[in-house]
Amino acid sequence: IAQELKAGADVPTFFDDDNTPFAEPRDWGTLIHLLNDDYAILGRTPKQPESAARWLFDRLDTARSAVGAVPALGQLDTPVRDRLASALEPEAAALWAWLAETVSSWSVGDTVVIEFARGGPDGEAMPLAAPYGYGYALSELSAGILERSSILYVWVTPEESRRRNRERARPGRDGDASILHHGVPEAVMLGEYGSDDLPWLIEQGGGDSVVVETDGGPRKIPAAMFDNRIDHTSFLRADPDEWPAADVGVLHTELRSAFDRLAGS
């Protein structure tokens, strides 16, 4: 969306350019409310919209409103919104189709894995102030998610995370469209992932949980750390036939240890 607006010389939304953080920091909460929406329709077959692009615009504006941010896409001039919808319809349609297939395939008893990364500016003191950090993000998750959740934290220092980000990144579409080879701009790594509050939150929770502040009061969520400060996972970006057996064994051992701690909490 931001790139299409920029291409049309319109006022950018979400990002000023491809190398800067969110223009509206509360969009960290916007993303969480999109997760809430997806979780709420698990097991259903959603009705196909007449326009997938306009469905996407409405989703984003509704999620933005939920965190007190301006629903900017609804405020675009009609010609701009029409041009944007036309340009993004194929990608939005593919997104809708993937989401519809995913949520409709869910059955009672299935495990749902929700993955996201959060942080704050480099050098920031704990606790991180909203809308940064895991404390804020977890507090925006729906009650339906939180009451069934436990947290597996993949622990990497911000410094090591920046090093791996530079190492894995590939330029262009091959990187941006891949969970294995995408790269995050250094300004974003320092400004939004430069500090990490989850180790602090787990420590405050007694070492085995995180206390999440919700509208209904504090909720204690079981938590365990998988210590990945010494890299146990980067080899997974290679073809599985090339994975060293010893590395696979160590990874299984470390993950089992973390999951055993969660199961016992």
Side-chain angles (χ1 to χ4, degrees):
I1 290 173
Q3 291 173 336
E4 287 294 337
L5 286 169
K6 182 179 179 181
D10 300 303
V11 176
T13 299
F14 303 112
F15 304 96
D16 292 332
D17 60 54
D18 293 345
N19 295 306
T20 56
F22 278 129
E24 167 54 83
R26 284 174 292 187
D27 277 332
W28 290 112
T30 298
L31 296 176
I32 294 296
H33 282 269
L34 295 174
L35 283 173
N36 291 341
D37 292 345
D38 292 349
Y39 185 85
I41 60 172
L42 285 175
R44 306 181 192 176
T45 301
K47 181 180 178 181
Q48 185 167 1
E50 292 184 10
S51 166
R54 295 178 191 279
W55 160 82
L56 178 60
F57 298 166
D58 291 344
R59 279 199 80 196
L60 289 166
D61 276 354
T62 299
R64 268 194 149 199
S65 295
V67 295
V70 174
L73 295 172
Q75 298 184 0
L76 293 174
D77 292 340
T78 298
V80 175
R81 186 177 169 91
D82 289 347
R83 180 183 59 77
L84 193 62
S86 178
L88 293 175
E89 184 63 25
E91 287 185 72
L95 174 63
W96 184 89
W98 171 83
L99 177 63
E101 180 182 4
T102 300
V103 299
S104 62
S105 68
W106 180 85
S107 300
V108 175
D110 288 349
T111 297
V112 178
V113 177
I114 298 174
E115 185 275 337
F116 56 81
R118 291 295 185 271
D122 183 36
E124 199 79 358
M126 299 297 121
L128 293 178
Y132 293 104
Y134 287 98
Y136 168 73
L138 292 168
S139 74
E140 293 294 323
L141 286 170
S142 68
I145 293 176
L146 288 175
E147 66 188 14
R148 295 173 175 83
S149 288
S150 57
I151 298 169
L152 176 67
Y153 173 51
V154 181
W155 186 15
V156 179
T157 65
E159 295 79 10
E160 176 65 6
S161 182
R162 292 195 291 274
R163 185 194 69 78
R164 294 184 202 176
N165 177 67
R166 291 189 292 267
E167 180 183 81
R168 72 168 179 261
R170 290 182 180 175
R173 185 68 176 169
D174 288 345
D176 293 342
S178 168
I179 63 171
L180 299 179
H181 297 291
H182 71 282
V184 177
E186 193 75 4
V188 176
M189 292 297 294
L190 287 167
E192 297 190 330
Y193 298 108
S195 56
D196 183 353
D197 61 334
L198 200 46
W200 182 87
L201 291 169
I202 293 174
E203 181 182 355
Q204 297 300 303
D208 60 358
S209 64
V210 171
V211 178
V212 179
E213 298 297 334
T214 72
D215 291 340
R219 184 184 291 273
K220 196 171 186 179
I221 309 297
M225 286 187 175
F226 164 51
D227 191 343
N228 199 32
R229 292 174 296 173
I230 296 175
D231 194 350
H232 295 306
T233 55
S234 288
F235 75 90
L236 297 171
R237 293 199 296 272
D239 186 285
D241 292 338
E242 300 174 6
W243 293 352
D247 291 346
V248 172
V250 170
L251 177 59
H252 281 183
T253 298
E254 295 297 326
L255 282 173
R256 178 175 292 278
S257 175
F259 280 118
D260 284 347
R261 293 195 298 275
L262 271 183
S265 60

